[in-house]
Amino acid sequence: MKPAFAAMLLVCLILSSFMFEMSIAGTDSGRFCSSICGQRCSKAGMKDRCMKFCGICCGKCKCVPSGTYGNKHECPCYRDMKNSKGKPKCP
């Protein structure tokens, strides 16, 4: 029983690690989001936070408004995402 459990745990760990790497690295959309969010967050006071939330929003919406601020009308999904407090999630 113990060797089977250990083997199953190891398989699950390897699969979850593989899936995590795929979600972080992504494909072309991952590079797209990283690039365009870098432009969007270039003037942000807290770049790491801006990049995190921009990346989340870009991944879900597949678009990011142009410029470093505003222009959210260009991407309604990005504009309409809210955090748990009802405030805009995307920078």
Side-chain angles (χ1 to χ4, degrees):
M1 178 83 167
K2 286 185 181 181
F5 178 73
M8 183 62 98
L9 185 62
L10 183 62
V11 168
C12 289
L13 183 63
I14 291 170
L15 287 175
S16 65
S17 174
F18 177 71
M19 296 302 283
F20 178 74
E21 285 180 26
M22 283 181 57
S23 69
I24 294 297
T27 56
D28 290 332
S29 66
R31 282 181 250 142
F32 166 77
C33 288
S34 178
S35 171
I36 199 143
C37 285
Q39 293 171 0
R40 179 94 177 153
C41 297
S42 65
K43 294 183 180 178
M46 295 200 264
K47 281 190 183 174
D48 56 341
R49 188 173 178 187
C50 181
M51 288 292 291
K52 175 184 174 184
F53 289 109
C54 181
I56 291 169
C57 296
C58 177
K60 289 184 181 178
C61 297
K62 308 291 188 248
C63 65
V64 174
S66 62
T68 56
Y69 185 79
N71 300 324
K72 290 187 177 182
H73 64 278
E74 296 175 353
C75 185
C77 171
Y78 191 96
R79 176 193 65 210
D80 297 338
M81 286 185 80
K82 305 286 185 209
N83 64 18
S84 60
K85 296 179 182 175
K87 304 228 180 209
K89 181 174 194 147
C90 307

